[in-house]
């Protein structure tokens, strides 16, 4: 906040330091700081930061609406992968699998595909960024934090917006290797039991199982994690007669 309130003075002082600085590493840090402070991070509407919107469709009138769309697109792509897996499901279980897909689709529509994760206007409890739009890497799937302290503000400038597209919403329990195959198997072997589709929904589409990670922290090796066997099925609701 102090930086933004006295931005011009801070930038000028950093420029003076930069002109006297010879160490490449410090020079890079100072240059990055000047670059960030010179950007109109807090601007939201297109009229106030036209450069940010270069290359985007004209229908986007403010930054947050585009960032919501960006997040929604990622979640939609996960839904497409779940849907396309139906060809691998046992023929006798495909109708049941399709019904679960429909339930998940309806749930996603009701929450607008969790676009809130990238929207800085949302409440703190549901967004993954600060009110200014800063995102922090949550670290590899097997760590509690980011060892490199990666951060980015895609709201700040066009370059950062584009770079943010390389950050991943990584599934801790892997989508392709674990969650979707387990869902298909659960439908096939349910034997009268009710598949707990909401558990699989949480693993596929929510931050219960998603971590926002910088590309360098995105480990593509086998996570060797599996679904919780105790949550795959749930008891059917019973209708008790009133005597």
């Amino acid at each position: 906040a102090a930086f933004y309130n006295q931005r011009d003075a801070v930038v000028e002082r950093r420029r003076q330091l930069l002109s006297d600085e010879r160490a490449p590493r410090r020079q890079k840090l100072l240059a990055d700081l000047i670059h960030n402070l010179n950007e109109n991070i807090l601007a939201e509407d297109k009229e106030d930061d036209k450069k940010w919107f270069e290359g985007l469709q004209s229908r986007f009138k403010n930054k947050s609406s585009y960032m919501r769309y960006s997040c929604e697109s990622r979640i939609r792509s996960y839904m497409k992968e779940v849907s396309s897996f139906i060809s691998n499901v046992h023929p006798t279980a495909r109708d049941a699998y399709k019904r679960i897909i429909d339930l998940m689709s309806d749930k996603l529509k009701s929450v607008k595909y969790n676009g809130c994760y990238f929207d800085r206007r949302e409440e703190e409890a549901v967004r993954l960024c600060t009110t200014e739009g800063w995102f922090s890497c949550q670290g590899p799937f097997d760590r509690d934090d980011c060892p490199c302290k990666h951060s980015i503000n895609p709201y700040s400038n066009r370059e950062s917006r584009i770079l943010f597209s390389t950050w991943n919403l990584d599934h801790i329990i892997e989508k392709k290797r674990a969650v979707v195959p387990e869902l298909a198997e659960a439908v096939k072997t349910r034997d009268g039991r009710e598949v707990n589709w909401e558990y699989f929904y949480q693993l596929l589409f929510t931050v219960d199982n998603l971590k926002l990670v910088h590309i360098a922290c995105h480990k593509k090796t086998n996570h060797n994690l599996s679904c919780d066997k105790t949550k795959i099925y749930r008891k059917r609701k019973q209708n008790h007669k009133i005597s």
Side-chain angles (χ1 to χ4, degrees):
F3 278 147
Y4 292 125
N5 291 336
Q6 302 181 28
R7 187 175 65 180
D8 293 343
V10 172
V11 169
E12 182 57 32
R13 178 57 182 150
R14 291 303 181 271
R15 280 187 175 142
Q16 291 173 7
L17 289 172
L18 184 57
S19 65
D20 298 331
E21 186 56 64
R22 293 183 180 180
R25 187 177 180 185
R26 293 182 182 178
Q27 199 170 50
K28 176 67 166 59
L29 290 172
L30 290 170
D32 286 347
L33 178 59
I34 291 173
H35 179 67
N36 283 323
L37 291 176
N38 270 329
E39 298 302 331
N40 198 357
I41 290 177
L42 299 182
E44 179 67 21
D45 296 331
K46 188 174 184 178
E47 294 77 16
D48 299 323
D49 194 353
K50 292 182 179 179
K51 288 184 178 180
W52 192 93
F53 292 85
E54 289 180 2
L56 299 182
Q57 297 177 16
S58 59
R59 63 190 177 98
F60 297 111
K61 304 301 182 184
N62 57 66
K63 294 179 180 180
S64 294
S65 65
Y66 173 76
M67 292 303 297
R68 283 191 72 95
Y69 167 79
S70 174
C71 188
E72 290 172 12
S73 296
R74 299 188 189 208
I75 302 298
R76 286 176 186 272
S77 71
Y78 301 158
M79 187 71 247
K80 288 181 180 178
E81 290 183 60
V82 178
S83 299
S84 64
F85 194 82
I86 195 168
S87 61
N88 298 304
V89 177
H90 193 277
T92 61
R94 286 178 185 171
D95 286 344
Y97 187 86
K98 177 63 166 59
R99 286 195 291 272
I100 288 177
I101 290 176
D102 291 340
L103 288 169
M104 288 183 173
S105 295
D106 289 342
K107 176 71 172 179
L108 284 173
K109 290 175 184 176
S110 71
V111 295
K112 299 180 180 178
Y113 293 89
N114 289 328
C116 56
Y117 293 157
F118 290 179
D119 188 343
R120 65 182 180 181
R121 300 171 302 181
E122 285 285 351
E123 297 179 3
E124 184 177 1
V126 297
R127 54 180 159 83
L128 294 176
C129 61
T130 67
T131 53
E132 292 82 20
W134 286 98
F135 290 82
S136 296
C137 174
Q138 297 174 321
F141 75 92
D142 54 356
R143 287 191 55 134
D144 293 331
D145 56 10
C146 173
C148 300
K149 307 301 180 187
H150 295 120
S151 65
I152 190 171
N153 191 330
Y155 286 85
S156 63
N157 55 68
R158 180 173 177 268
E159 179 182 2
S160 294
R161 167 174 66 76
I162 294 172
L163 284 175
F164 186 67
S165 66
T166 67
W167 285 48
N168 294 93
L169 276 175
D170 187 31
H171 290 83
I172 302 171
I173 303 175
E174 294 171 282
K175 175 178 78 269
K176 291 182 179 179
R177 288 193 178 112
V179 182
V180 177
E182 187 68 66
L183 172 59
E185 183 64 19
V187 173
K188 175 187 173 184
T189 60
R190 66 191 187 281
D191 192 26
R193 294 172 292 182
E194 184 178 356
V195 176
N196 186 7
W197 68 269
E198 289 176 318
Y199 168 62
F200 289 98
Y201 170 89
Q202 290 173 339
L203 294 181
L204 290 165
F205 308 115
T206 77
V207 290
D208 286 356
N209 190 49
L210 290 171
K211 295 184 77 174
L212 181 66
V213 296
H214 184 279
I215 189 171
C217 286
H218 184 209
K219 295 182 179 180
K220 295 186 178 181
T221 56
N222 194 325
H223 294 188
N224 291 315
L225 297 172
S226 56
C227 301
D228 186 340
K229 299 294 184 182
T230 67
K231 296 181 179 180
I232 291 176
Y233 299 103
R234 61 186 175 191
K235 293 182 179 179
R236 291 183 178 276
K237 294 180 180 179
Q238 297 180 349
N239 295 320
H240 299 283
K241 292 183 180 180
I242 300 175
S243 57

